[in-house]
Amino acid sequence: MRTISNTIKGVFAVSLFSVCLIGCSEDKMDDINKDTNHTNSVDAKFILTDVITSTAFSNVSGDFNTYGSAYVEYEAGVDNQLYNAEIRLNEPTAASTFNNTWTGLYTTLKNARIAISQCEEGLRDEGNDITKGIALVLAAYNGALLADMFGDTPFSEAALIDENGAPVYMNPKIDKQEDIYKTVMQELDDAIISLQGSDRSPISTYDLIYKGNAANWTKLAYGLKARYTMRLMNRSGDINGDMAKILEYVSKSFTSAAEQAEFAIYDNNNINPYYGFNNDRAGLVSSQSMGEKLIERQDPRLQRGLLTPSSVSRVRTNITGSNDPNYVPAPNGSPEQNMQKYSVSTFYYASTAPSILMSYHELKFLQAEALCRLNRTSEAEAVLKEAVVAGIANAERSIESAIETLGEGINVTAEAITEDVAKTYFESKVKPLFIANSLKETMVQKYLALWGASGEATETFSDIRRLKALGENFITLKNPGKYPLRCPYGNSDTTTNPEVKAAYGDGNYVYTEPVWWAGGSR
């Protein structure tokens, strides 16, 4: 009986406690459930360190750059996924191909948006105007990457979290590429204004690109406005007016390569991702069409940028031409799956080459192109020379990194490409072609300059699609297969978000539907 009585008392006590809990306010329950032992937010400057790293390492220099290198024929794919991409089997349309980058981009955008939000009035980082400006530039950069690679894609409802860190929308809607670009350009304008302010708590060394230098971030913002204005040329209602805008933006951007936006913290432990991929997978080799362009111009990068096949002994340089027995390029679209048969790029071994968000040479090529389109060719020639020399200097820096990486494993018989050599190359080889067709040679030289280990194939992939949309097939590509016009959505959303799943279909739209700025409807 006592046992039963005690049990009844216990049940009553529990019931009474439960009633008390029910009577508690929701706010009180939220307080009870809070984890007070671990911080659930950090300063925006700490968040931006991760945003900068993921933007440079994963989003610019990751899969977009690796596959892009094969698509634009800087290299040719000869193993596994890269071979499939080369022969246009499965990979260009598969939702799994870019899924890691897809999820990484949205995570990066989410973190950039968190940093922006925290700098608003009354919040944790109020008064950190420069930090907010940097976050806005990075949000714009990653937003443009999403739009450029995927076209219409989730954006306004994506990468948003509530106060508890949960997604605001589980199945964010797809936004039009045109609308995404409007946001991107507005964010750059807002960034320029914010960067004119000051920081209550400076970002300093947590900024892995400019160490909190607001002037340089402002120059990057103007450089990106030039890039994206040129990107939207096919949709322009006033091309001459937009070319004039590009020249204005360029005048407010980088004045030398020392100011370009590069992620330059690689060393023996933290390696360049392009080197890391090729060192682990060895899936890319020398492209025949790329070699032909270099040979046609007797480009100085020919002798320094290509290495013998590993079956020959790897890695003597000084390729002299197409008849050199040490030069064995892979035929675009039809190589063997053989990682030892073909020559490779010296850039593969550039373990410490920086990842570049936007280079000085790209900026000068944009200026030269705008001048050509305005028929100001005499001005364009001088600018193009600067661009070519700067591009070759960047290539030589990567080549020197490769030589250091390989050590005694490379026998360099070609001399370093000095500034004088680059200028002589321009005067003797480039200038005559420029005189014959100024716009074409400007674009070919830009194509050659963005070849390397710095992640710029990502930009070239967009450039070639832009030119195709304009009917300007200046860059001759030899792969007979269908050219990818975009990247497929990631399977983390094609399997969960009904709107993305419907838009993806079987993935073959990648070959048939250009993105909006290239003349398509999505």
Side-chain angles (χ1 to χ4, degrees), residues 307-308 313-317 402-412:
L307 308 176
T308 57
S313 69
R314 187 84 80 223
V315 279
R316 185 172 62 79
T317 60
I403 293 171
E404 183 176 350
T405 300
L406 290 166
E408 294 182 359
I410 184 170
N411 175 21
V412 182

Side-chain angles (χ1 to χ4, degrees), residues 187-433:
E187 285 176 331
L188 290 174
D189 287 338
D190 293 344
I192 290 168
I193 294 171
S194 189
L195 287 164
Q196 294 174 13
S198 59
D199 265 355
R200 174 179 52 79
S201 175
I203 187 171
S204 186
T205 56
Y206 295 104
D207 169 7
L208 301 178
I209 295 178
Y210 290 131
K211 303 296 185 290
N213 186 318
N216 282 343
W217 278 104
T218 302
K219 290 179 180 182
L220 172 59
Y222 277 114
L224 292 175
K225 282 172 68 70
R227 174 196 279 181
Y228 300 144
T229 301
M230 190 68 83
R231 182 92 85 241
L232 300 177
M233 179 183 172
N234 191 53
R235 293 291 185 178
S236 174
D238 179 11
I239 291 178
N240 285 351
D242 281 343
M243 294 304 106
K245 287 181 181 178
I246 289 169
L247 295 178
E248 177 190 349
Y249 300 148
V250 168
S251 72
K252 297 176 180 179
S253 189
F254 313 137
T255 59
S256 72
E259 295 176 340
Q260 67 188 12
E262 62 179 35
F263 185 76
I265 67 167
Y266 301 128
D267 54 29
N268 292 334
N269 297 312
N270 304 299
I271 56 175
N272 173 289
Y274 194 60
Y275 165 76
F277 172 83
N278 287 293
N279 191 49
D280 291 341
R281 305 291 294 276
L284 293 169
V285 297
S286 296
S287 154
Q288 185 173 18
S289 74
M290 182 64 183
E292 287 173 353
K293 295 176 182 66
L294 296 171
I295 291 168
E296 178 186 1
R297 290 165 174 75
Q298 284 299 292
D299 191 295
R301 285 163 287 203
L302 176 67
Q303 295 187 333
R304 296 275 284 178
L306 298 173
L307 308 176
T308 57
S310 60
S311 59
V312 174
S313 69
R314 187 84 80 223
V315 279
R316 185 172 62 79
T317 60
N318 200 25
I319 305 299
T320 57
S322 57
N323 295 321
D324 190 318
N326 294 310
Y327 175 50
V328 187
N332 301 97
S334 58
E336 294 180 19
Q337 287 197 72
N338 187 331
M339 294 179 284
Q340 284 76 46
K341 178 176 180 177
Y342 301 108
S343 300
V344 298
S345 163
T346 311
F347 300 122
Y348 289 6
Y349 302 98
S351 62
T352 59
S355 293
I356 299 179
L357 275 65
M358 186 174 194
S359 62
Y360 175 66
H361 50 269
E362 181 197 341
L363 185 78
K364 300 305 288 185
F365 280 114
L366 287 167
Q367 183 183 10
E369 179 183 351
L371 289 168
C372 286
R373 294 190 184 279
L374 291 170
N375 294 315
R376 294 161 57 178
T377 53
S378 60
E379 295 173 75
E381 180 186 325
V383 173
L384 180 62
K385 185 174 183 178
E386 287 185 73
V388 169
V389 172
I392 288 176
N394 185 66
E396 178 61 23
R397 179 168 58 157
S398 293
I399 291 167
E400 290 170 356
S401 171
I403 293 171
E404 183 176 350
T405 300
L406 290 166
E408 294 182 359
I410 184 170
N411 175 21
V412 182
T413 54
E415 295 294 327
I417 311 173
T418 64
E419 183 177 334
D420 287 342
V421 169
K423 288 179 178 178
T424 299
Y425 162 67
F426 180 87
E427 293 295 333
S428 62
K429 304 297 182 183
V430 178
K431 185 174 180 177
L433 294 171

Side-chain angles (χ1 to χ4, degrees), residues 42-48 111-136 194 198-201 203:
V42 297
D43 290 353
K45 62 184 178 183
F46 302 137
I47 297 173
L48 289 185
N111 290 337
R113 286 175 170 175
I114 290 171
I116 294 168
S117 176
Q118 287 188 187
C119 293
E120 299 295 341
E121 184 178 354
L123 296 179
R124 183 188 187 102
D125 285 279
E126 178 185 359
N128 289 333
D129 300 325
I130 294 172
T131 298
K132 181 182 178 181
I134 294 170
L136 282 163
S194 189
S198 59
D199 265 355
R200 174 179 52 79
S201 175
I203 187 171

